[in-house]
Amino acid sequence: MGENDNSKKLASKIDAALIKYRPQHENLGQAEKSLAEQVIALVEKAGGRAAAAEKMGVGATTLDNYRAGKTQPKILELIALCEAAGVALSDIFERDAGFGPDTIRVVVSPERFAGPELFDDLFAEIGEMVADLHKSAGLSLTRNNEYRLAAEGYNRLTDRAFDPYNLEELRSMLPWLRVSFKRDIEQQRSKPGSGKHSA
């Protein structure tokens, strides 16, 4: 079977999966629907449901919920799925999405932050902190790793917070987060051959 035939077969599988899940997407917001559709396509590119679930480290039912848009994958799961599908994580975001609400829904742990209290300004601030600290240390970051580290930082704050939905409390912990990131960077720089985070 030629490469063109394989491409047609894959496109057909993706179309069939999109049609299968379309009724479950009807009441989703645009960001959630777009992500669910991306996951559907990536699953097929990764070799199907079983292969994708294994690569992501999730159960088949969890993966089905991601495809249905009932829940969203965590950033590390999404990165693993993209790698399995041979797609760059940045390719599934709009080029100039930045750290807006669409992005934050993807990268912040959905089971804890499924409600509207997602502070995209705080997330953007953490992203800028990550970029500035790495630049000051002479380390370069891919956009994917910038998203990943910003999400990790957001989750560190909310894990430490008494009330993870209290913006004032989260902001008060930013100096602690800065120190935490600096410590991570020092450890990164002490590794042989450091100087760049791989994608």
Side-chain angles (χ1 to χ4, degrees):
M1 188 178 284
E3 189 175 325
N4 194 35
D5 289 337
N6 286 334
S7 295
K8 285 181 181 177
K9 189 173 180 181
L10 176 60
S12 177
K13 284 183 176 182
I14 292 171
D15 286 343
L18 287 168
I19 290 167
K20 174 183 173 184
Y21 282 96
R22 189 168 293 145
Q24 297 179 61
H25 295 170
E26 286 179 3
N27 295 320
L28 297 178
Q30 186 54 46
E32 290 83 0
K33 179 182 175 186
S34 176
L35 177 59
E37 289 174 347
Q38 291 281 9
V39 170
I40 287 168
L42 291 169
V43 165
E44 296 306 323
K45 289 178 182 178
R49 180 180 186 238
E54 182 181 344
K55 290 286 186 183
M56 294 171 75
V58 300
T61 302
T62 298
L63 182 56
D64 290 344
N65 286 336
Y66 294 162
R67 294 193 290 176
K70 292 178 182 175
T71 56
Q72 291 80 42
K74 296 184 180 96
I75 185 66
L76 295 179
E77 294 169 352
L78 197 56
I79 288 171
L81 179 58
C82 286
E83 287 175 355
V87 173
L89 181 64
S90 55
D91 291 343
I92 70 167
F93 291 108
E94 290 181 38
R95 289 273 175 217
D96 300 316
F99 286 94
D102 290 357
T103 301
I104 196 171
R105 285 188 182 91
V106 177
V107 298
V108 178
S109 302
E111 67 275 7
R112 288 181 292 167
F113 307 108
E117 298 90 350
L118 291 170
F119 304 116
D120 52 322
D121 288 344
L122 176 64
F123 186 62
E125 196 173 332
I126 295 169
E128 289 168 14
M129 178 193 298
V130 165
D132 290 345
L133 288 172
H134 280 77
K135 186 176 180 182
S136 297
L139 296 171
S140 61
L141 279 178
T142 63
R143 192 64 168 160
N144 290 352
N145 276 326
E146 199 174 314
Y147 285 135
R148 180 180 59 79
L149 290 172
E152 191 178 292
Y154 193 107
N155 287 338
R156 284 185 197 180
L157 287 184
T158 54
D159 283 343
R160 256 179 101 89
F162 178 75
D163 178 2
Y165 295 111
N166 184 322
L167 180 58
E168 187 177 338
E169 181 183 1
L170 295 176
R171 282 199 183 283
S172 74
M173 293 189 297
L174 285 174
W176 166 83
L177 184 62
R178 178 175 287 276
V179 171
S180 176
F181 275 132
K182 281 185 176 180
R183 189 172 43 245
D184 292 347
I185 290 169
E186 286 170 13
Q187 290 175 351
Q188 175 67 25
R189 290 187 73 170
S190 68
K191 291 179 184 176
S194 66
K196 187 177 261 191
H197 283 283
S198 60

